Amino acid sequence: MSWAVRSGLEPIKKVAGTIKDHLWGILNAVVLKVSNGPAESLNSRIKMIKVPSSGFRNKERFANAIYLHLGGLNLYPEGVVG
């Protein structure tokens, strides 16, 4: 399929090129009804852990904080509903 852009406007040519480069991804997202929403949500929650700490001294402590807050562990003692 030939993709000739007849517009003389550079922004239109740039948009057409972007769509051409990502066409299969766009079609897959529409047909399969998938989105990156869950990944963006997780990324946002990780940022919320990072900001109040003003940075971690090392990557291991940062990873441990993520596991603690987002790991889905039940930290309540047995018999306590939480």
Side-chain angles (χ1 to χ4, degrees):
M1 174 181 337
S2 175
W3 286 83
V5 179
R6 291 185 246 193
S7 175
L9 301 173
E10 282 305 315
I12 299 297
K13 289 181 179 182
K14 185 174 180 182
V15 168
T18 300
I19 291 172
K20 178 183 174 188
D21 292 343
H22 298 282
L23 183 61
W24 287 111
I26 294 168
L27 292 175
N28 280 331
V30 171
V31 170
L32 299 175
K33 297 181 175 98
V34 296
S35 79
N36 66 340
E40 291 295 334
S41 172
L42 181 62
N43 197 18
S44 174
R45 291 166 60 194
I46 290 172
K47 285 182 182 180
M48 289 177 64
I49 293 168
K50 185 170 103 173
V51 169
S53 69
S54 299
F56 286 86
R57 292 181 185 263
N58 62 41
K59 291 179 183 179
E60 184 180 356
R61 289 184 182 180
F62 183 43
N64 287 339
I66 293 169
Y67 291 138
L68 175 67
H69 291 279
L70 304 178
L73 299 174
N74 181 5
L75 300 175
Y76 290 102
E78 192 172 325
V80 176
V81 178

